[in-house]
Structure formats: C-alpha cells, structure tokens
DNA sequence: ACTTATGGATAGTATCACTATCCACAGAAC
DNA sequence: GTTCTGTGGATAGTGATACTATCCATAAGT
C-alpha cells in the first residue's frame, strides 16, 4: 500500500504521516524506487497506536517516540520491556516540595507492607510521592490516608490486566497490549470513576444537608 | 499580603501571577490604592489549586478557568456543582468511529445493569464509549470485555471518596475537595496502578515463557 | 531622598504539532 | 507517449498555548 491508502485507511492526513515518518514515530516504508515506497499492515496498526497515544492518552510526540522505541526493543525480557514502557510513560518530575520526604516514606511503607516487588527506581514511586505531597500541600491529606484501599482496588485490576495481556500469542502483541492497556485503560478507569462518582454523589448528596436546593 | 509575598509563598513567579489575574484564573486582590492591592490566604489557596490542576492534572489554562468557575458558582445544589466540575474536566470529544454505536450501547447497558443514577448527557458516558471504541479499533476489545470488574473497583472507590468529601465543614471546601479528589486522585490511582502492574508482572512474567531472558 | 516593589498594559518568546509548498519523478489512464 | 494525479523528500510557515519581558507612573520601605 502507498501513503495515500495508508492515509485513507487510518484517517491521518498524508502530510501528518510524512511528519511522523520524519520524527521517527513510524518506520519508513519499503522503497520500490527512489520515490515510491510500500507500506504494510504493520504501518497501519502502528499509526492507529500512535493516534491512540496522542489523542486518548494525550502524550506528546516525543514521549510517543520513546514508548514506541521501548516497544520495539525486542532483545529484553518482557518484564523489562514493561518497565521501559512505564518509564517512558512517566510524567515529568516536579521539584520536590516540603512534604516530599514524608510522602515518599509513606509510599515505600505501602510497598513494603503489601509485599510488592518493585524496583527501587520505578518512576511511579516518584509520581505517587509527588501526588501525595500535593494532596498535603492542598490541605487534602486525608484523601491520601486511605491509600490502602486504593492499592487493593488497583492490585485486583492489575492482576486481571496482566493475566489478560500475558495470554497473547506472541511477545510483540503482548508488548503492544501493555501499552494500550496501560494508557487506554487509564482513560477507561477515569471515565468509569467519574460515572461512579456521579452515581454515588446523586445518592448521598442529591438532597442532603449542604445542598443549597434543600435550604 | 502583596503580590511579592504571594509569589514567594506559592512558588509562582510574579509575572505568572499577573498572567493568571489577566486570564481570570485568580480573582483580583483588594485595591488599597490605584497601584497597590492586598491578597488574602484564599488567593494563596487558589493559586496552589491552579498549579495542581496545571502541573498534576495537565489541564490547559482555559479548562482550569472553567473548573474554577463551576467551583465558584455557589447558587447550585452541591450535586449539580459536582456535575459542572465533571463537565469542565471532560476531555474534548473525538469524532465517533465505526465502533462508536456498539461501544455506547455497551456503556448504557452497564449503567442500567448496575442501577447507576447518571444523567443521560453526562460527559463521562461519551468519554467511556470513545475509549471502548478505541480499544476495539486497536484490536484489544477483550480488555473492555471485563468492564464490570473495573466498575466494581471504581464504585467502591467512589463510595469512599464521596463520603470523605461530604464530611467537610462547608460547601466551598467540599467543592474544592471534589476537584482535588477527582483530578489529583486520578493521578494517584494511575501511579498506584503502575506499581501494581509492575509487581504483578514481576510475579507472572519475570521468568515466564516469552521472556527472552530465559530462552 | 532614594531604592525597591507594585498594578496595569502591551509586546515578545519558546515550544509543540502540525501544514503548506516545492520539486523531480512514478504510475495509471487515455 | 503524453497528460494527470500521486509520491518521497526537503524546507519553511502557521496557529495555539503558556508564559516572559519591558515599560510606566506611583507607592512603600529605609
């Protein structure tokens, strides 16, 4: 297939595809002559993945590139590839605030208590610590007090997700599933959580004290 | 307090604070003379909230403004204010793809089955449908098959979150907690989920078949 | 008196994610 | 075999976003 068809089938404009090729997000097609190249189904799949990472996960292009690179590094153990994907997905670090130390201690304590096997330099540790520190700084530290029930919930989910993903036939598909599951799954959880919040808030607050409608 | 102190205490530069004032993110201080204004603790708190929404949640400035506006509209029932916040937080809609109808039906079915009280135009419905449609398009539809266990997990979390938040003394603090809890809580869940995934993947995949290290 | 800080306005900058345009040439259609 | 659309590759331009920089008259602190 040539670039025009790739564009039509992916919904991505030709100039944008060219841009992704330049940026190295998409591998070049196979040249059949100096100005003619052939693209395969793998290109189409890769393009859809790129759009999902950009549109759904809101990743910047450079980060997409890193994710795809760790996806393509097939000379590592699968678990290590997952780690690489996680590292590429981590949001940029904020300079640690006052509550940083307390928050990080809380995170390490949680990991210890749950017996989780986590590399000590996992980027999510920093992200989590920053987030908890931010909650303290915003005077909402009590929301972080219940970390354990959050951990319960996500551990169950992770259990299912990893199991589902590990059942794929080949490792390349597994790695791709990890990316999609991590990134798109996050949005799925977010949206579902908003729905659940709306339901619960309708029930608990719909006409409760503090409701200006009832006063 | 004057703008210099506000800057020092918040860690936000004076020009940036001026920018937020211009953009209407931060209400103006009380003028004590034509070129001298006084800022209160509320300004400091608001500024920290703004930074959290921008840095932690990655919201663009215009969206932050919308969130703050729905936060300040105190003439509504609390449950409605939560809805307004949710609406302001919704990511921009994507044009629906082929799988859109199927996905939306699946979402409505889930809501019905769980007996959730959700307004039919809740933005999260669209977000969720899009996300599921994207999973189908990426050939990872099976990740969406288990929607119910995701719903279980988030329903429990929402239950705790809304209860925690509803226990605040005054409605303004409740509304602020809703924003912080929704936005920052999301990052908390994300980071925890990554940790849980790493743990589970270490256990299930650390030296499993498909692991190039063991072959 | 004098240095520093302030409120308000206006203009400029860096980054990002594309778009637009150009070119010589390929392939397909007549 | 020529004409017309499509292509790979390169280079330059655009629009949006989130600040920064500068200026000014005036106020506060020393």
């Amino acid at each position: 297939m040539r670039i025009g068809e790739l564009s039509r089938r992916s919904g991505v404009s030709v100039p944008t595809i060219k841009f992704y090729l330049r940026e190295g997000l998409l591998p070049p097609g196979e040249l059949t002559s100096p100005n003619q190249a052939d693209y395969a189904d793998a290109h189409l799949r890769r393009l859809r993945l790129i759009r999902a990472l950009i549109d759904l996960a809101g990743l910047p292009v450079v980060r997409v590139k890193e994710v795809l690179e760790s996806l393509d590094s097939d000379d590592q153990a699968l678990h290590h590839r997952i780690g690489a994907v996680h590292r590429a997905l981590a949001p940029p670090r904020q300079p640690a605030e006052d509550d940083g130390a307390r928050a990080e201690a809380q995170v390490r304590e949680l990991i210890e208590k749950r017996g989780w096997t986590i590399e000590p330099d996992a980027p999510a540790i920093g992200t989590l610590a920053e987030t908890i520190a931010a909650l303290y700084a915003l005077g909402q530290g009590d929301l972080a007090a219940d970390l354990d029930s959050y951990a319960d919930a996500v551990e169950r989910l992770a259990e299912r997700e990893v199991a589902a993903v590990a059942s794929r036939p080949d490792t390349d598909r597994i790695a791709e599933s990890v990316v999609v599951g991590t990134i798109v799954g996050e949005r799925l959880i977010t949206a579902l959580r908003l729905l659940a919040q709306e339901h619960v808030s309708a029930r608990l607050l719909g006409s409760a004290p503090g409701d200006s409608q009832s006063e």
Side-chain angles (χ1 to χ4, degrees), chain A:
Chain A
M1 129 183 60
R2 290 188 299 165
I3 203 172
E5 191 182 345
L6 186 60
S7 167
R8 233 172 307 112
R9 291 223 264 157
S10 65
V12 178
S13 77
V14 170
T16 299
I17 294 177
K18 286 184 173 186
F19 169 70
Y20 292 155
L21 287 167
R22 280 201 303 281
E23 295 296 307
L25 295 197
L26 198 62
E30 199 192 345
L31 280 178
T32 58
S33 63
N35 71 335
Q36 212 68 193
D38 189 59
Y39 301 94
D41 277 347
H43 286 93
L44 183 58
R45 222 174 45 242
R46 177 53 58 95
L47 204 42
R48 285 207 249 259
L49 178 59
I50 292 170
R51 292 311 315 180
L53 293 181
I54 290 176
D55 292 336
L56 268 60
L59 287 194
V61 166
V62 274
R63 217 125 291 272
V64 172
K65 190 178 176 190
E66 287 171 26
V67 171
L68 296 178
E69 274 165 3
S70 40
L71 199 61
D72 292 334
S73 68
D74 52 8
D75 53 356
Q76 288 177 60
L78 184 56
H79 173 59
H80 292 161
R81 277 216 260 175
I82 292 177
V85 169
H86 281 186
R87 230 165 290 119
L89 292 177
R93 295 288 317 249
Q94 299 289 124
E97 304 270 316
D98 326 333
D99 305 296
R102 177 163 48 135
E104 183 147 348
Q106 198 177 339
V107 172
R108 304 224 176 251
E109 189 198 341
L110 176 84
I111 291 174
E112 168 117 18
K113 200 174 113 205
R114 301 194 75 89
W116 280 355
T117 312
I118 309 274
E119 292 189 29
D121 62 337
I125 293 177
T127 307
L128 185 54
E130 271 165 28
T131 306
I132 293 172
L135 282 174
Y136 286 133
L138 290 166
Q140 310 275 358
D142 56 336
L143 290 177
D146 206 14
L147 258 194
D148 228 43
S149 62
Y150 284 97
D152 279 341
V154 295
E155 190 172 342
R156 262 193 302 268
L157 290 182
E159 204 78 53
R160 287 167 176 278
E161 288 171 334
V162 174
V165 141
S167 70
R168 304 278 133 121
D170 63 296
T171 52
D172 279 344
R173 290 307 180 92
I174 290 185
E176 197 177 309
S177 290
V178 168
V179 171
V180 173
T182 304
I183 293 286
V184 183
E186 179 183 330
R187 195 170 159 123
L188 193 132
I189 291 171
T190 300
L192 263 179
R193 176 165 165 261
L194 289 186
L195 288 179
Q197 283 181 357
E198 179 168 340
H199 165 63
V200 175
S201 106
R203 186 154 56 70
L204 295 184
L205 304 174
S207 51
D211 180 338
S212 60
Q213 225 174 26
S214 63
E215 283 169 17

